[in-house]
C-alpha cells in the first residue's frame, strides 16, 4: 500500500511531538533528540513489549522517494499505531539535528501495511547517502507514545533524476532559451599544454573524459558520462565565437558538420545556474550506436535535430545549417574521441576569464528559473 506524500511539520527542540497534521497517513515532524531509547522532554517512553523492527529493506529508490519494509515479531503487533523513522544524511549523522530547522530528519508515520513509501523533496536529495533506523510506537489516550527499541541502522543512496524529472527541467530551460542564432563551428578552449599533450601522447586525438560534478546534483551524467566538451555560443554582433575564454588561451575550432549531422543523436542533459543571471544548458551529441549514445538513450530526453529550442541542424540548398539558442550558454558534450586535424588550433586574442569557468560549479538551489520540485 502506498502512503500519501509526507507533509512537513516543524517543531522546536523543546516542544512536544504531539501535534499531527490532520487527514494524512504520513506526517513529517521533527522529534526531540533521543538519548538511548527514550526522551523525557517528548513524553515518549520505552516499552519492551512492542516489537523491534529488524531486517530492514529499502527498495524502489528514486531521487526523492523510497519504499521501506521490515520484519517484526507478532507479539503486541496489534498495539502498534505509528512508526518512527530516523532519517539522516550520512555525512551529517553526528551534526546538530536542529541546525537546519527547514529540513526535518525525524518522520512519524501512521502504521500502514508494508512496504511503505517515504516521499519528500524537502528532506530527500538525489544521489545522496542516508542512514535510516525505525521504531514501532503506540499512541496513548493522553497523547504520549510507548515505543520499541530502535532498529539497526542501515544505509542507502538515492537515485539520479529520471527522464521525467529531466523533461521537467528541459521545459523550464525551453521557456528562457530565446531566439536562435546561426553558428558554424564548435570550439574548445584549453591551455597550450593540453594540446601539446594530446599530440604527443594520443596521436592528435582528444580523448573523452568524465563529466565533472557541475550543474544539478541529480543529473545522471555527472561523473558518469564521458565526452569531449565544446561550446558553440557566438557573439551577437559578429556571429563568431567570443574572443575571451574561461578555460585557456588556446582554442580548437571544429566545423559544426563534423560533429553535428544526421548521423548523430542529440540529448538534453541539464539546466542550471551558479548564483548569477547566466543560465547554462548541457547538451550531448552522440554518434548513433556509440557507447555514449546507448548510455544517453536510457537516461536522457532525446531532442529532434531540426526542431528544438537549443541546438538545431537543418538542410537548405547549400547544405547543413546550424543554430544555437541566444539566451542560454550551451555546453556540448561529444561522446567520441575528436581528432584535432578535423579543425584548427590557434591562440585567442581576448582574455582568459577564469571567473566564468563552470568546472565543478554548484547549482543555485534557490533559483526558481532552473529548479524543479524534487531534490536539487
Amino acid at each position: 500500500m502506498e502512503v500519501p506524500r509526507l507533509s512537513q511539520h516543524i517543531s522546536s527542540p523543546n516542544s512536544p511531538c504531539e501535534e499531527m497534521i490532520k487527514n494524512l497517513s504520513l506526517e513529517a515532524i521533527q522529534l526531540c533528540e533521543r538519548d538511548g531509547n527514550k526522551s523525557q522532554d517528548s513524553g515518549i517512553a520505552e516499552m519492551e513489549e512492542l516489537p523491534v523492527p529488524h531486517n530492514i529493506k529499502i527498495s524502489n529508490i528514486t531521487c526523492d522517494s523510497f519504499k521501506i519494509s521490515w520484519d517484526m515479531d507478532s507479539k503486541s503487533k496489534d498495539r502498534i499505531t505509528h512508526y518512527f523513522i530516523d532519517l539522516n544524511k550520512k555525512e551529517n549523522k553526528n551534526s546538530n539535528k536542529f541546525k537546519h530547522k527547514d529540513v526535518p530528519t525525524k518522520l512519524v508515520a501512521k502504521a500502514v501495511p508494508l512496504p511503505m513509501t517515504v516521499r519528500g523533496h524537502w528532506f530527500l536529495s538525489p544521489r545522496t547517502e542516508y542512514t535510516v533506523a525505525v521504531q514501532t510506537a503506540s499512541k496513548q489516550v493522553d497523547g504520549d507514545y510507548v515505543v520499541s527499541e530502535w532498529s539497526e541502522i542501515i544505509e542507502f543512496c538515492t537515485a539520479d533524476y529520471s527522464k521525467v524529472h529531466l523533461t521537467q527541467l528541459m521545459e523550464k530551460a525551453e521557456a528562457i532559451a530565446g531566439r536562435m542564432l546561426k553558428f558554424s563551428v564548435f570550439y574548445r578552449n584549453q591551455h597550450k599544454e593540453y594540446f601539446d599533450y594530446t599530440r604527443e601522447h594520443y596521436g592528435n586525438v582528444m580523448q573523452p573524459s568524465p563529466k565533472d560534478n557541475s550543474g544539478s546534483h541529480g543529473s545522471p551524467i555527472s561523473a558518469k558520462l564521458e565526452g569531449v566538451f565544446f561550446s558553440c555560443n557566438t557573439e551577437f554582433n559578429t556571429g563568431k565565437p567570443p574572443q575571451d575564454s574561461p578555460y585557456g588561451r588556446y582554442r580548437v575550432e571544429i566545423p559544426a558538420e563534423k560533429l553535428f549531422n544526421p548521423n548523430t543523436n542529440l540529448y538534453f542533459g541539464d539546466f542550471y545556474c551558479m548564483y548569477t543571471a547566466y543560465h547554462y544548458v548541457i547538451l550531448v551529441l552522440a554518434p548513433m550506436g556509440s557507447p555514449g549514445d546507448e548510455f544517453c538513450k536510457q537516461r536522457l530526453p532525446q531532442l529532434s535535430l531540426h526542431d528544438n529550442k537549443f541546438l538545431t541542424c537543418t538542410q537548405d540548398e547549400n547544405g547543413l545549417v546550424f543554430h544555437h539558442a541566444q539566451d542560454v550558454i550551451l555546453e556540448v558534450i561529444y561522446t567520441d574521441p575528436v581528432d584535432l586535424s578535423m579543425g584548427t588550433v590557434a591562440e585567442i586574442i581576448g582574455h582568459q576569464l577564469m571567473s566564468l569557468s563552470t568546472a565543478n560549479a554548484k547549482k543555485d538551489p534557490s533559483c526558481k528559473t532552473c529548479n524543479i520540485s524534487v531534490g536539487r
Side-chain angles (χ1 to χ4, degrees):
M1 175 180 177
E2 185 164 313
V3 182
R5 287 179 180 268
L6 292 172
S7 294
Q8 187 173 12
H9 171 67
I10 304 301
S11 60
S12 69
N14 296 319
S15 68
C17 301
E18 150 69 18
E19 185 180 350
M20 298 291 178
I21 299 176
K22 297 179 181 179
N23 302 321
L24 289 177
S25 297
L26 191 59
E27 300 94 350
I29 68 171
Q30 201 159 11
L31 298 179
C32 306
E33 287 279 5
R34 57 180 171 91
D35 181 11
N37 294 308
K38 59 179 76 175
S39 171
Q40 295 178 351
D41 293 337
S42 66
I44 298 177
E46 178 184 4
M47 187 172 183
E48 295 180 354
E49 285 77 6
L50 286 177
V52 180
H54 61 275
N55 193 26
I56 296 176
K57 298 182 181 67
I58 304 293
S59 61
N60 296 84
I61 299 172
T62 72
C63 65
D64 65 347
S65 70
F66 62 91
K67 286 188 176 182
I68 185 169
S69 62
W70 55 83
D71 298 329
M72 52 187 169
D73 297 333
S74 58
K75 183 180 179 181
S76 299
K77 190 174 180 180
D78 58 346
R79 296 182 58 242
I80 298 172
T81 62
H82 290 79
Y83 303 133
F84 291 179
I85 302 173
D86 184 6
L87 179 70
N88 292 285
K89 286 186 178 181
K90 185 177 177 183
E91 63 270 26
N92 295 326
K93 61 183 177 181
N94 294 321
S95 64
N96 181 353
K97 300 294 190 300
F98 300 101
K99 182 177 180 182
H100 302 292
K101 289 189 169 69
D102 60 333
V103 185
T105 56
K106 309 292 188 182
L107 311 175
V108 173
K110 289 183 179 179
V112 296
L114 302 176
M116 177 177 66
T117 297
V118 178
R119 179 182 290 112
H121 68 266
W122 53 86
F123 59 83
L124 282 173
S125 297
R127 202 186 281 200
T128 303
E129 291 184 321
Y130 288 91
T131 62
V132 64
V134 185
Q135 277 181 319
T136 57
S138 177
K139 188 174 183 179
Q140 308 300 291
V141 292
D142 60 1
D144 287 347
Y145 292 88
V146 262
V147 299
S148 72
E149 295 182 1
W150 285 96
S151 71
E152 75 275 18
I153 297 174
I154 68 164
E155 300 177 359
F156 71 99
C157 185
T158 47
D160 297 330
Y161 284 164
S162 68
K163 279 188 179 181
V164 172
H165 299 122
L166 287 171
T167 299
Q168 295 174 12
L169 203 59
M170 180 179 71
E171 290 170 351
K172 293 183 76 84
E174 288 173 340
I176 70 159
R179 70 190 185 102
M180 304 293 281
L181 299 178
K182 188 177 290 189
F183 77 101
S184 60
V185 298
F186 290 100
Y187 56 93
R188 174 173 172 82
N189 299 299
Q190 276 289 351
H191 300 286
K192 182 177 183 296
E193 291 76 13
Y194 167 83
F195 294 109
D196 291 342
Y197 191 89
T198 297
R199 294 184 184 99
E200 181 179 352
H201 294 276
Y202 293 115
N204 216 46
V205 178
M206 294 183 288
Q207 300 298 311
S209 60
K211 183 196 171 296
D212 64 12
N213 286 312
S214 61
S216 301
H217 189 56
S219 172
I221 62 177
S222 292
K224 294 181 179 180
L225 177 66
E226 293 191 351
V228 183
F229 301 84
F230 290 93
S231 300
C232 65
N233 288 80
T234 56
E235 292 183 326
F236 175 76
N237 57 337
T238 66
K240 296 180 179 180
Q243 296 180 357
D244 301 326
S245 161
Y247 301 108
R249 293 198 55 80
Y250 283 77
R251 173 180 294 165
V252 58
E253 294 187 0
I254 308 287
E257 63 269 17
K258 299 286 188 181
L259 305 181
F260 190 23
N261 54 62
N263 294 318
T264 54
N265 283 326
L266 177 65
Y267 299 91
F268 174 85
D270 200 5
F271 177 44
Y272 70 100
C273 70
M274 304 181 298
Y275 301 90
T276 67
Y278 303 111
H279 277 86
Y280 297 81
V281 170
I282 299 178
L283 302 175
V284 182
L285 283 173
M288 289 183 178
S290 66
D293 190 33
E294 294 304 315
F295 177 96
C296 294
K297 277 183 180 179
Q298 299 174 32
R299 297 168 177 84
L300 305 180
Q302 186 169 350
L303 302 175
S304 164
L305 299 188
H306 62 272
D307 184 18
N308 69 81
K309 300 290 188 179
F310 310 113
L311 189 72
T312 61
C313 170
T314 56
Q315 180 89 37
D316 68 10
E317 63 275 9
N318 297 316
L320 297 178
V321 181
F322 304 92
H323 290 84
H324 70 81
Q326 175 185 358
D327 295 340
V328 291
I329 299 174
L330 298 181
E331 298 180 311
V332 180
I333 302 174
Y334 188 78
T335 61
D336 272 12
V338 178
D339 198 315
L340 290 173
S341 65
M342 296 168 64
T344 58
V345 178
E347 187 173 4
I348 62 172
I349 60 175
H351 300 90
Q352 184 175 339
L353 305 175
M354 298 300 292
S355 62
L356 297 180
S357 170
T358 62
N360 289 306
K362 299 305 179 185
K363 180 175 183 174
D364 178 2
S366 65
C367 178
K368 295 181 179 180
T369 300
C370 61
N371 282 294
I372 55 176
S373 296
V374 293
R376 306 300 187 244

